Amino acid sequence: MSESSAEAVVAATANAAGAAGAAGWRRAGIAGAAIGVLAAGAAAGVAVERLTVGRGMRKKARLALDATGPYGSLRGTPGRAVADDGTELYYEVDEVEAAPETADESASSGTRRRRLFGRKAPAPVTVVFSHGYCLGQDSWHFQRAALRGLVRAVYWDQRSHGRSERGRSQADGVPVGIDQLGRDLKAVIDAAAPEGPVVLAGHSMGGMTMMALADQYPALIRDRVAAVALIGTSSGKLGEVNFGLPVAGVNAVRRVLPGVLKALGSQAELVEKGRRATADLFAGLIKRYSFGSRDVDSAVARFAERLIEATPIDVVAEFYPAFTEHDKSGALPGFRDVPVLILAGDKDLVTPSSHSEAIADVLPDAELVIVPDAGHLVMLEHPETVTDRLADLLVRSGTVSAANVGGHGSTAQQPGR
C-alpha cells in the first residue's frame, strides 16, 4: 500500500477521534496505521472509485442494494436461551413442514391417533447453525432458504452478536473465550432441541464453538450428534495467519493490533463515527477479506457489509484475543464416529484452507471440500456449493432422504415469513 493511502486512513481515523483529546488521537493514529496495513489490497481501488463516483451516488447505490437484495429476511419462531452467566441468547427455529395427508391417510387418522395415544412421537433431527465472528444467524440466508421446510433447523446469534444480549460477563470485565461460546451452544441446544438427534453446522468462529462444545460435553456428542459440518474454520494456530500480507506488514499488525483494538473499544462512539466516515474504505476491506472472486454479486457483498458493520467495535475488540488463544485440536477426535463435512475456500485469507486440511488430517474419514475462487464467506459467495454439500451430509447421516433433497436444492430468494 502506498504511503499516501496509509496516511489517508490514519487521517480519517484521527479526525473521528479528535474530540477525545491527545491520548485518544494517539490511539486513533496507531489504529489508523494498523488498519492501513490491512487495507493494502483495497485502498487503491477505493481511491479510484472515489475519484469517479460521488459520495451521494455511492450512498444511493447502497440503499438501492439494501432494497433489492432482501438477504437476511427469513424469520422463524423466536426463542431465548440463558447462558451460564445469565446472558440471553436469541435463536429462531424453522420447523419441518408436515406432508399433506392422502385420502386414505385422512380416513384412517382416527385409528392412527388412537394407536399413538399415550406414546410420545420421536423427536426430529435438528440442525443447529452457528455463525462466525462479526456476523449473525442471517449469514446462513442461502442455506436457510434451501433447507427451509426440509429439516428442523435452529439459527442462533452468538453472545454480543445479532439479536443476542451483550455478554454479561464481558460487561463485568471477564474476557470472552471460545470455551464460553461452547457453553452458550449447549444452552441453545438445551432450550431449542432438548431431545432427539442433532446435526452441528458452524462457520469460522461457529466451528470453533462446536469444537469447544465437544471438548466440554463429550457425552452430548457421543449420544446425540448425528453429523458435523465445519466450514471455513480452524482448530488452532490462528496467530500464524498472515492475512495475505507481506511478512513485515503482518508482523507489525500482530504487534499492535491487540492494543489497538482495546483502545478502539474504549472509544467506541468515536470509532463508530469514524467507521461511517470511511465507509468506502471499509467496504473495500470487507470485500477483500470476505470473498475470493472479483465478480461476487454486489447485493451479496453489500449484505456482508451490513452484517459486519452491525457488530460494535467494542465487541470486535472483546472477541479478538480469543482467537490467538484458541486451540481445540484435541477435541476433534470426538467427531470421528459421525459423518463430517470440512469445507473451505481456496482463497480464504482469514482461516486459510490449510487449517481445514489440518482438521481433515485428524478426521481422515471426513469429506474435505476446497471450493475454488472462494474466500472466507464461502456460504454467501458460493451458496449452491455449500448447500449441496450440506444436503449430502444430511443424506449420509440419515437426516433426510435423497428424494427429498432434490426439491430443495435451489438458493433462489424466498420471501421472509
Side-chain angles (χ1 to χ4, degrees), residues 55-406:
R55 181 181 296 275
M57 186 177 295
R58 292 194 298 274
K59 184 176 180 180
K60 289 180 180 178
R62 288 194 181 92
L63 292 173
L65 288 172
D66 289 346
T68 59
Y71 303 120
S73 60
L74 300 176
R75 300 268 65 88
T77 303
R80 292 190 181 274
V82 180
D84 56 3
D85 67 346
T87 301
E88 291 191 354
L89 306 168
Y90 178 84
Y91 65 83
E92 293 181 0
V93 181
D94 287 356
E95 298 288 356
V96 178
E97 295 177 356
E101 288 186 345
T102 65
D104 290 343
E105 288 172 334
S106 180
S108 63
S109 60
T111 302
R112 185 168 61 253
R113 279 197 296 271
R114 286 195 298 273
R115 186 169 63 248
L116 294 177
F117 181 77
R119 189 175 66 197
K120 190 174 182 180
V125 178
T126 301
V127 186
V128 182
F129 288 87
S130 301
H131 69 79
Y133 179 47
C134 298
L135 297 170
Q137 64 173 268
D138 290 341
S139 60
W140 297 106
H141 173 86
F142 290 109
Q143 291 68 47
R144 188 171 191 172
L147 298 175
R148 204 165 170 83
L150 175 63
V151 294
R152 185 177 192 269
V154 172
Y155 302 86
W156 69 293
D157 292 324
Q158 302 234 36
R159 64 172 51 219
S160 304
H161 290 70
R163 297 173 179 83
S164 284
E165 185 182 12
R166 181 67 180 275
R168 294 191 180 184
S169 294
Q170 286 65 65
D172 293 334
V174 178
V176 67
I178 303 299
D179 284 338
Q180 176 65 69
L181 305 185
R183 295 194 296 275
D184 290 352
L185 176 54
K186 174 64 162 54
V188 170
I189 292 173
D190 288 346
E195 297 179 320
V198 174
V199 174
L200 301 175
H203 168 250
S204 191
M205 182 177 76
M208 302 174 205
T209 298
M210 290 159 45
M211 296 174 204
L213 178 77
D215 192 32
Q216 298 173 92
Y217 303 98
L220 172 66
I221 305 301
R222 182 183 63 247
D223 297 340
R224 295 189 56 199
V225 173
V228 170
L230 299 165
I231 300 172
T233 191
S234 171
S235 60
K237 298 185 178 180
L238 285 168
E240 299 175 8
V241 175
N242 64 14
F243 303 104
L245 299 173
V247 174
V250 76
N251 286 342
V253 170
R254 284 186 183 135
R255 283 196 302 272
V256 303
L257 194 54
V260 165
L261 287 173
K262 185 175 181 180
L264 292 176
S266 69
Q267 300 287 341
E269 183 177 349
L270 295 170
V271 172
E272 293 302 335
K273 291 180 181 178
R275 288 172 80 176
R276 292 192 293 271
T278 58
D280 301 334
L281 176 59
F282 285 102
L285 278 171
I286 289 168
K287 187 171 183 180
R288 169 168 169 75
Y289 286 99
S290 297
F291 306 109
S293 54
R294 294 185 177 182
D295 58 350
V296 63
D297 182 85
S298 297
V300 172
R302 173 58 188 152
F303 175 49
E305 286 178 47
R306 293 204 329 259
L307 288 171
I308 295 170
E309 288 169 353
T311 308
I313 190 63
D314 44 351
V315 172
V316 177
E318 279 176 3
F319 276 71
Y320 179 79
F323 301 116
T324 57
E325 299 168 2
H326 167 63
D327 182 359
K328 284 291 180 283
S329 56
L332 293 176
F335 297 138
R336 280 180 176 163
D337 294 331
V338 298
V340 176
L341 167 67
I342 304 168
L343 186 146
D346 70 340
K347 295 182 180 178
D348 190 335
L349 299 176
V350 180
T351 51
S353 58
S354 59
H355 286 239
S356 289
E357 292 168 350
I359 295 173
D361 288 341
V362 181
L363 301 172
D365 293 331
E367 178 187 19
L368 174 63
V369 178
I370 306 299
V371 183
D373 296 320
H376 190 56
L377 300 188
V378 60
M379 68 286 190
L380 293 177
E381 186 174 14
H382 295 279
E384 295 284 1
T385 299
V386 175
T387 302
D388 178 71
R389 301 326 304 154
L390 279 174
D392 182 71
L393 178 71
L394 296 178
V395 171
R396 287 192 287 125
S397 65
T399 303
V400 298
S401 70
N404 286 337
V405 174

